[in-house]
Amino acid sequence: MRRAGVPFAVGSNSERGRLHMKLASAGLAELVGEHAYDPSWVGGRGKPEPDLYALAAAQLGVDITRCVVVEDSVPGATAGVRAGATVIGLLATGHAHPDDAAHLLAAGVNRVVTSHAQLQEALGLAVPV
């Protein structure tokens, strides 16, 4: 996304320290930088409330209706839909949440993908082979 010039942020229900630890262990802390938001940024109102996504969009200077939220849980998908974003459900290998495609679709996601390659394609960011 950075190579394509697409601004991005992370909105997580994880506590701030835990979120930053997760990003660091995945090698993403530097990439995400200051755009990692947790409920403490919005008065403790985590997902399924739309506040995290609305804040992230505002911090990026982007209208939420032009944003795509990628979510693997029903509370997160609900938050994205309620915020007014387009929501893509991601069910990748090692999926941490018990929600399946049917639950995500019922929450209002626009489509469900099952791999990061499918996600890149859905976002128009597929890496040429």
Side-chain angles (χ1 to χ4, degrees), residues 18-79:
R18 191 169 167 85
L19 170 59
H20 289 284
M21 180 184 69
K22 289 177 182 179
L23 291 170
S25 69
L28 298 173
E30 188 174 312
L31 183 65
V32 174
E34 63 186 28
H35 293 291
Y37 305 103
D38 63 87
S40 71
W41 283 84
V42 290
R45 293 178 308 280
K47 304 170 194 174
E49 299 304 322
D51 305 53
L52 275 174
Y53 290 128
L55 172 73
Q59 293 295 315
L60 293 171
V62 179
D63 183 325
I64 190 67
T65 62
R66 296 184 44 92
C67 292
V68 175
V69 166
V70 178
E71 261 299 343
D72 62 353
S73 72
V74 167
T78 301

Side-chain angles (χ1 to χ4, degrees), residues 85-97:
T86 297
V87 183
I88 296 176
L90 174 62
L91 298 180
T93 305
H95 185 62
H97 294 283

Side-chain angles (χ1 to χ4, degrees), residues 6 14 21 49 54 73 75 83 98 102 118 127:
V6 177
S14 291
M21 180 184 69
E49 299 304 322
S73 72
Q118 286 180 357
V127 178

